[in-house]
Amino acid sequence: ATVNFISGKVYYDFSSLIPNYLRIFGIFNNNTQRWMYPTTQIELYSYRDDWELAAGDPFLFLPIDYKTVALFPNMPTAAGNMTVMYKAKADVLGANSVPVIPQEHQQVLELYSTADMLDQAQEWYKAIDYANMTDQSIDNIRKVLRNRSSPNHLYFSHGSY
Protein backbone atom coordinates (compact mmCIF):
# COMPACT_ATOMS: atom_id res chain seq x y z
CA ALA A 1 0.00 0.00 0.00
CA THR A 2 1.21 3.49 -0.76
CA VAL A 3 1.19 5.95 2.14
CA ASN A 4 2.00 9.64 1.77
CA PHE A 5 4.62 11.21 4.01
CA ILE A 6 3.21 13.75 6.45
CA SER A 7 5.27 16.82 7.30
CA GLY A 8 7.07 16.40 10.63
CA LYS A 9 5.28 13.15 11.51
CA VAL A 10 7.40 10.56 13.32
CA TYR A 11 4.84 7.95 14.37
CA TYR A 12 2.55 6.44 11.73
CA ASP A 13 -0.48 4.37 12.73
CA PHE A 14 -0.74 2.11 9.68
CA SER A 15 -3.88 0.41 10.99
CA SER A 16 -5.76 3.67 10.46
CA LEU A 17 -4.11 4.41 7.08
CA ILE A 18 -4.32 0.95 5.44
CA PRO A 19 -7.48 -1.17 5.39
CA ASN A 20 -7.02 -4.74 6.72
CA TYR A 21 -3.52 -3.93 8.03
CA LEU A 22 -2.18 -6.53 10.49
CA ARG A 23 1.61 -6.16 10.69
CA ILE A 24 4.53 -4.71 8.77
CA PHE A 25 7.01 -6.51 6.51
CA GLY A 26 9.03 -3.66 5.11
CA ILE A 27 8.90 -0.10 3.84
CA PHE A 28 10.21 1.19 0.52
CA ASN A 29 10.95 4.92 0.35
CA ASN A 30 9.74 6.00 -3.10
CA ASN A 31 11.60 9.33 -2.82
CA THR A 32 15.05 7.76 -2.48
CA GLN A 33 14.16 4.49 -4.27
CA ARG A 34 15.59 2.50 -1.34
CA TRP A 35 14.35 0.10 1.29
CA MET A 36 14.13 1.41 4.84
CA TYR A 37 15.84 -0.78 7.41
CA PRO A 38 14.22 -1.95 10.65
CA THR A 39 16.04 -0.70 13.72
CA THR A 40 15.97 -0.60 17.51
CA GLN A 41 15.52 2.30 19.87
CA ILE A 42 19.10 1.84 21.10
CA GLU A 43 20.39 2.34 17.55
CA LEU A 44 18.27 5.46 17.10
CA TYR A 45 19.64 6.93 20.34
CA SER A 46 23.16 6.17 19.10
CA TYR A 47 22.47 8.50 16.13
CA ARG A 48 21.23 11.27 18.39
CA ASP A 49 19.38 11.69 21.68
CA ASP A 50 16.60 13.72 20.07
CA TRP A 51 16.13 11.35 17.14
CA GLU A 52 12.42 12.21 16.96
CA LEU A 53 13.32 15.77 15.93
CA ALA A 54 15.72 14.82 13.12
CA ALA A 55 14.59 15.93 9.66
CA GLY A 56 15.43 14.34 6.31
CA ASP A 57 14.49 11.45 4.05
CA PRO A 58 13.65 8.43 6.24
CA PHE A 59 15.95 5.43 5.96
CA LEU A 60 15.13 3.56 9.21
CA PHE A 61 11.86 2.41 10.75
CA LEU A 62 11.14 1.32 14.31
CA PRO A 63 8.10 -0.91 14.92
CA ILE A 64 6.57 0.35 18.18
CA ASP A 65 3.72 -2.15 18.34
CA TYR A 66 1.71 -4.16 15.81
CA LYS A 67 0.19 -1.02 14.26
CA THR A 68 2.52 1.91 15.01
CA VAL A 69 5.86 2.54 13.29
CA ALA A 70 8.33 5.38 13.85
CA LEU A 71 10.38 6.70 10.92
CA PHE A 72 13.87 8.17 11.22
CA PRO A 73 14.48 10.88 10.27
CA ASN A 74 11.07 12.45 9.67
CA MET A 75 10.12 14.32 6.51
CA PRO A 76 10.38 18.12 6.94
CA THR A 77 7.85 18.65 4.13
CA ALA A 78 4.93 16.52 3.00
CA ALA A 79 6.55 15.43 -0.24
CA GLY A 80 6.48 11.95 -1.71
CA ASN A 81 5.32 8.62 -0.40
CA MET A 82 6.37 5.20 0.81
CA THR A 83 5.26 1.73 -0.16
CA VAL A 84 4.34 -0.31 2.91
CA MET A 85 4.67 -4.07 2.63
CA TYR A 86 2.31 -5.61 5.17
CA LYS A 87 0.46 -8.73 6.17
CA ALA A 88 -3.29 -8.27 5.87
CA LYS A 89 -6.00 -9.49 8.20
CA ALA A 90 -7.90 -12.54 7.03
CA ASP A 91 -11.26 -12.02 5.38
CA VAL A 92 -14.32 -12.78 7.47
CA LEU A 93 -15.96 -15.86 5.97
CA GLY A 94 -19.68 -15.96 5.36
CA ALA A 95 -22.13 -18.42 3.84
CA ASN A 96 -21.23 -17.41 0.25
CA SER A 97 -17.49 -16.93 0.81
CA VAL A 98 -14.98 -18.62 -1.43
CA PRO A 99 -11.98 -19.83 0.59
CA VAL A 100 -8.60 -18.57 -0.61
CA ILE A 101 -6.32 -21.60 -0.90
CA PRO A 102 -2.91 -21.75 -2.60
CA GLN A 103 -3.32 -22.99 -6.16
CA GLU A 104 -1.12 -26.05 -5.67
CA HIS A 105 -3.31 -27.30 -2.76
CA GLN A 106 -6.84 -26.91 -4.13
CA GLN A 107 -7.56 -30.62 -3.57
CA VAL A 108 -7.83 -30.14 0.22
CA LEU A 109 -11.54 -29.33 -0.02
CA GLU A 110 -12.20 -32.47 -2.06
CA LEU A 111 -10.19 -34.61 0.38
CA TYR A 112 -12.10 -33.21 3.36
CA SER A 113 -15.47 -33.69 1.68
CA THR A 114 -14.62 -37.27 0.71
CA ALA A 115 -13.48 -38.08 4.26
CA ASP A 116 -16.69 -36.61 5.67
CA MET A 117 -18.93 -38.51 3.23
CA LEU A 118 -17.10 -41.80 3.91
CA ASP A 119 -17.47 -41.19 7.65
CA GLN A 120 -21.22 -40.65 7.24
CA ALA A 121 -21.43 -43.87 5.19
CA GLN A 122 -19.59 -45.67 8.01
CA GLU A 123 -16.66 -46.55 5.76
CA TRP A 124 -14.29 -46.00 8.68
CA TYR A 125 -11.00 -47.23 7.21
CA LYS A 126 -11.42 -45.32 3.96
CA ALA A 127 -12.48 -42.23 5.93
CA ILE A 128 -9.33 -42.43 8.05
CA ASP A 129 -7.17 -42.59 4.91
CA TYR A 130 -8.82 -39.48 3.45
CA ALA A 131 -8.67 -37.68 6.81
CA ASN A 132 -4.92 -38.35 6.94
CA MET A 133 -4.51 -37.01 3.40
CA THR A 134 -6.52 -33.93 4.42
CA ASP A 135 -4.28 -33.36 7.46
CA GLN A 136 -1.16 -33.71 5.31
CA SER A 137 -2.54 -31.24 2.77
CA ILE A 138 -3.39 -28.73 5.53
CA ASP A 139 0.18 -29.03 6.87
CA ASN A 140 1.49 -28.32 3.36
CA ILE A 141 -0.75 -25.24 3.11
CA ARG A 142 0.60 -24.00 6.45
CA LYS A 143 4.16 -24.38 5.14
CA VAL A 144 3.34 -22.41 1.99
CA LEU A 145 1.66 -19.63 3.97
CA ARG A 146 4.51 -19.49 6.49
CA ASN A 147 7.01 -19.16 3.65
CA ARG A 148 4.95 -16.47 1.95
CA SER A 149 4.66 -14.44 5.15
CA SER A 150 8.42 -14.49 5.70
CA PRO A 151 10.15 -11.10 5.30
CA ASN A 152 12.53 -12.78 2.83
CA HIS A 153 9.64 -13.33 0.41
CA LEU A 154 8.46 -9.78 -0.23
CA TYR A 155 7.73 -10.60 -3.85
CA PHE A 156 4.52 -12.42 -2.83
CA SER A 157 2.12 -9.50 -3.01
CA HIS A 158 -1.12 -9.39 -1.04
CA GLY A 159 -3.88 -11.36 -2.68
CA SER A 160 -1.80 -13.45 -5.10
CA TYR A 161 -2.14 -17.10 -4.24
Side-chain angles (χ1 to χ4, degrees):
T2 303
V3 176
N4 292 324
F5 286 115
I6 300 170
S7 176
K9 189 169 181 83
V10 178
Y11 298 97
Y12 287 81
D13 179 4
F14 288 135
S15 67
S16 66
L17 299 171
I18 302 170
N20 293 331
Y21 174 85
L22 180 63
R23 67 176 175 87
I24 193 163
F25 270 99
I27 303 175
F28 186 77
N29 187 334
N30 293 318
N31 294 351
T32 61
Q33 296 296 309
R34 294 185 179 206
W35 286 100
M36 292 186 207
Y37 294 102
T39 188
T40 63
Q41 218 165 11
I42 293 172
E43 185 178 351
L44 290 176
Y45 279 112
S46 71
Y47 281 104
R48 55 189 285 181
D49 289 340
D50 60 348
W51 64 268
E52 293 168 311
L53 302 176
D57 270 319
F59 61 93
L60 296 174
F61 70 91
L62 172 67
I64 304 297
D65 57 26
Y66 71 95
K67 62 182 182 177
T68 309
V69 174
L71 301 183
F72 173 81
N74 63 60
M75 288 293 288
T77 59
N81 56 37
M82 59 186 141
T83 301
V84 177
M85 304 297 287
Y86 66 96
K87 179 126 177 118
K89 293 178 187 174
D91 296 333
V92 177
L93 297 178
N96 296 326
S97 297
V98 177
V100 181
I101 299 173
Q103 190 68 33
E104 60 270 24
H105 298 291
Q106 292 288 323
Q107 79 279 5
V108 69
L109 297 176
E110 181 181 337
L111 293 172
Y112 174 79
S113 300
T114 305
D116 187 53
M117 296 301 285
L118 288 169
D119 186 47
Q120 290 177 28
Q122 298 182 357
E123 293 284 346
W124 310 118
Y125 292 110
K126 292 178 186 176
I128 288 173
D129 290 341
Y130 277 92
N132 289 337
M133 287 188 280
T134 302
D135 291 342
Q136 181 62 44
S137 189
I138 290 171
D139 287 342
N140 291 338
I141 290 170
R142 285 187 183 130
K143 288 177 189 172
V144 168
L145 296 179
R146 208 171 313 131
N147 286 338
R148 288 185 182 177
S149 68
S150 168
N152 295 328
H153 297 287
L154 291 175
Y155 54 85
F156 284 106
S157 63
H158 171 66
S160 63
Y161 289 95

